């Protein structure tokens, strides 16, 4: 124990980080510098309330760091370029933002010369690994302090401790744990702890209030969403606006089942209207403007990218290599995508792009062609089938299959 050691605490204002402030400052004598990293999930009022909460608990200094734009530029846009859905379901809403929060907290600790960095993760989930890895990579000389994990505390034990310290707050545990960010909101509750139940309607943060179908047009430029219904937006603004439009339909809800970093299966509910609509629209546009091989290799590398990101490996150098490839594939991904939104569903109507490879100049699929003859196709089919034809004949001669 050091009575004056400067410790940076990744702070959310929740029970776990409240415990950490009191325990580390009053029982261990540390000087606590709390930091909240905003990746698009807090209102100004919420940020002010969390800051007030930090000071009421006894931190020496509280800092709020906005990383929303960096989060988009350095990560989200590549999730779009790669059409990345973990296990074909989850847009990595929390996986992606946690590593950005951890990196920002570690960089802040380095900036102020802290001797240690702390977080309130338990020993049961993915976030403990993501935070530990980021802290070790950016500031390996700093001690990592994790009171909840090390003491193996139950929620009840944390509450009893805080009560003994005179902390007064609403102790009733919310039925559902909500983590909101720019790229979606995770929802955890009793139903996600088992394998057989779905989340009830009331568990989702945005309730269904739209009942009439609505047509929406998304404008992409080099793979980035830059407009909605003929109104231009920055990509971050476009994501936020699309969430406002689509979430009230109940679009983007699901439960993801996946493998955690620590080797167990886990379930998490989520609400991600904008990410799911954007990825579907972007992928449809790509299918019109990219070649077969571009689409194939994008899918392979994108799955790899998403898996590494999920595991906290955002700073692995190969991630920059994959990003370079993904960005290079987006040169022709420009155009409009028309969609219809309805309660609990949406579908893509079609696209418009000057790069559309379905150009009628070369023919119409299943109708007629302008660039080849029947004899051209007959010769192509003969050559393309030649090796398999030979294989079949040889098999027949040897009475094999």
């Amino acid at each position: 124990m050091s009575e004056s050691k400067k410790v940076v605490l990744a702070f959310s204002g929740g029970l776990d980080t409240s415990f950490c402030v009191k325990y580390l400052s009053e029982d261990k004598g540390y000087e606590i510098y709390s930091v909240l990293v905003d990746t698009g999930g807090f209102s100004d009022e919420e940020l002010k309330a969390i800051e007030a909460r930090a000071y009421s608990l006894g931190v020496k200094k509280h800092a709020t760091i906005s990383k929303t734009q960096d989060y988009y530029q350095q990560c989200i846009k590549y999730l779009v370029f790669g059409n990345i859905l973990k296990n074909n379901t989850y847009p990595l809403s929390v996986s992606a933002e946690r590593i950005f929060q951890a990196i920002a907290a570690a960089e802040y600790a380095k900036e102020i010369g802290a001797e240690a960095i702390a977080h309130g993760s338990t020993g049961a989930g993915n976030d403990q690994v993501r935070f530990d890895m980021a802290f070790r990579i950016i500031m390996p000389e700093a001690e990592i302090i994790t009171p909840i994990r090390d003491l193996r505390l139950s929620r009840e034990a944390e509450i009893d401790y805080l009560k003994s310290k005179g902390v007064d707050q609403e102790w009733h545990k919310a039925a559902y744990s909500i983590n909101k960010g720019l790229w979606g909101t995770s929802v955890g509750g009793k139903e996600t702890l088992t394998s057989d139940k779905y989340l009830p309607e009331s568990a989702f943060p945005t309730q269904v209030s739209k009942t009439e179908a609505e047509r929406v047009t998304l404008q992409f430029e080099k793979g980035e969403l830059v407009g909605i219904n003929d109104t231009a937006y920055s990509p971050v603004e476009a994501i936020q606006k699309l969430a406002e439009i689509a979430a009230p339909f109940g679009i983007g809800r699901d439960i993801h089942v996946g493998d955690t970093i620590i080797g167990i299966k886990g379930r998490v509910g989520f609400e991600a209207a904008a990410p799911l609509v954007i990825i579907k629209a972007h992928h449809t546009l790509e299918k019109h403007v990219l070649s077969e091989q571009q689409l194939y290799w994008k899918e392979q590398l994108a799955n790899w990218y998403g898996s590494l990101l999920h595991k906290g490996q955002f700073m692995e150098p190969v991630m920059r290599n994959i990003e370079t490839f993904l960005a290079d594939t987006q040169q022709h991904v420009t155009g409009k995508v028309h969609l219809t939104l309805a309660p609990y569903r949406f579908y893509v109507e079609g696209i418009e792009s000057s790069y559309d490879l379905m150009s009628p100049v070369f023919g119409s699929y299943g109708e007629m062609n302008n660039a080849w003859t029947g004899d051209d196709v007959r010769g192509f089919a003969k050559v393309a089938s030649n090796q398999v034809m030979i294989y079949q004949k040889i098999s027949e001669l040897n009475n094999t299959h």
Side-chain angles (χ1 to χ4, degrees):
M1 180 181 77
S2 172
E3 294 184 356
S4 60
K5 182 179 287 186
K6 186 185 291 186
V7 177
V8 164
L9 170 67
F11 188 75
S12 67
L15 177 66
D16 293 337
T17 51
S18 294
F19 173 89
C20 289
V21 171
K22 282 295 184 183
Y23 176 77
L24 293 176
S25 62
E26 297 189 10
D27 289 12
K28 296 299 182 180
Y30 295 148
E31 198 174 72
I32 307 300
Y33 289 72
S34 60
V35 58
L36 183 144
V37 182
D38 181 14
T39 50
F42 298 96
S43 67
D44 290 341
E45 292 74 20
E46 288 170 332
L47 292 175
K48 291 176 182 176
I50 291 172
E51 180 177 5
R53 177 72 178 163
Y55 282 117
S56 73
L57 290 167
V59 305
K60 182 175 180 63
K61 183 179 180 181
H62 177 80
T64 298
I65 300 174
S66 176
K67 282 290 180 180
T68 305
Q69 289 293 336
D70 288 344
Y71 178 33
Y72 172 79
Q73 290 294 338
Q74 297 172 28
C75 184
I76 290 178
K77 75 177 183 182
Y78 298 108
L79 297 179
V80 177
F81 292 170
N83 308 308
I84 294 172
L85 294 173
K86 182 70 173 172
N87 290 6
N88 296 315
T89 303
Y90 180 48
L92 296 178
S93 305
V94 174
S95 312
E97 72 174 9
R98 283 293 186 264
I99 191 65
F100 265 78
Q101 292 165 346
I103 290 170
E107 289 173 342
Y108 176 71
K110 195 166 188 176
E111 178 186 328
I112 68 170
E115 298 163 275
I117 318 176
H119 62 85
S121 298
T122 69
N126 289 320
D127 288 344
Q128 58 176 327
V129 179
R130 295 170 183 142
F131 276 96
D132 280 12
M133 287 178 64
F135 293 172
R136 288 199 70 251
I137 291 169
I138 292 172
M139 200 176 178
E141 69 275 16
E143 178 187 0
I144 298 174
I145 303 175
T146 55
I148 307 298
R149 178 174 64 186
D150 296 343
L151 296 172
R152 304 182 70 178
L153 295 175
S154 66
R155 178 180 175 83
E156 291 70 26
E158 292 179 57
I159 291 174
D160 289 342
Y161 174 85
L162 288 170
K163 284 181 177 179
S164 75
K165 294 292 184 178
V167 176
D168 182 24
Q169 69 177 65
E170 175 55 62
W171 301 114
H172 173 68
K173 183 178 182 181
Y176 298 93
S177 173
I178 308 294
N179 292 287
K180 182 180 179 182
L182 179 64
W183 203 232
T185 301
S186 68
V187 184
K190 60 183 180 180
E191 293 85 2
T192 59
L193 298 178
T194 60
S195 303
D196 61 331
K197 294 181 177 64
Y198 194 75
L199 290 165
E201 178 77 21
S202 59
F204 293 99
T206 306
Q207 296 296 290
V208 176
S209 58
K210 289 186 176 182
T211 58
E212 297 296 323
E214 185 174 333
R215 193 169 189 263
V216 174
T217 296
L218 304 186
Q219 175 68 51
F220 289 88
E221 286 186 12
K222 294 187 175 181
E224 296 188 76
L225 180 62
V226 295
I228 302 174
N229 295 335
D230 296 322
T231 298
Y233 297 97
S234 72
V236 169
E237 292 171 338
I239 293 169
Q240 294 168 332
K241 181 63 178 178
L242 184 56
E244 292 176 12
I245 295 171
F249 282 108
I251 288 170
R253 298 172 171 184
D254 208 341
I255 292 182
H256 166 58
V257 182
D259 298 290
T260 65
I261 304 170
I262 56 177
I264 61 175
K265 293 284 186 181
R267 294 178 90 217
V268 63
F270 63 90
E271 176 182 286
L276 291 189
V277 172
I278 291 169
I279 287 173
K280 179 65 174 180
H282 176 268
H283 191 207
T284 301
L285 180 58
E286 282 193 325
K287 288 189 286 185
H288 280 263
V289 304
L290 297 185
S291 73
E292 178 184 5
Q293 292 302 315
Q294 284 178 304
L295 290 167
Y296 175 83
W297 287 108
K298 274 187 75 272
E299 184 176 356
Q300 312 314 306
L301 290 177
N303 284 336
W304 186 15
Y305 185 91
S307 179
L308 288 173
L309 180 63
H310 169 73
K311 294 175 181 177
Q313 293 283 359
F314 177 76
M315 286 175 281
E316 158 62 49
V318 76
M319 298 291 275
R320 309 293 82 77
N321 305 137
I322 300 174
E323 289 164 359
T324 299
F325 173 84
L326 292 176
D328 191 63
T329 65
Q330 301 300 294
Q331 301 309 304
H332 289 183
V333 188
T334 293
K336 294 181 178 181
V337 183
H338 307 295
L339 307 100
T340 292
L341 312 181
Y344 303 106
R345 65 188 179 92
F346 71 94
Y347 60 89
V348 176
E349 297 176 4
I351 71 102
E352 297 177 56
S353 174
S354 60
Y355 295 103
D356 190 355
L357 298 179
M358 283 188 68
S359 171
V361 171
F362 300 100
S364 299
Y365 177 72
E367 298 293 332
M368 62 179 295
N369 68 77
N370 300 319
W372 58 86
T373 68
D375 286 339
D376 291 335
V377 177
R378 188 177 294 109
F380 169 78
K382 183 175 182 180
V383 172
S385 62
N386 209 31
Q387 188 171 77
V388 178
M389 180 272 292
I390 293 171
Y391 179 91
Q392 292 291 342
K393 289 295 183 183
I394 295 297
S395 295
E396 291 172 10
L397 291 172
N398 289 277
N399 295 317
T400 61
H401 296 88

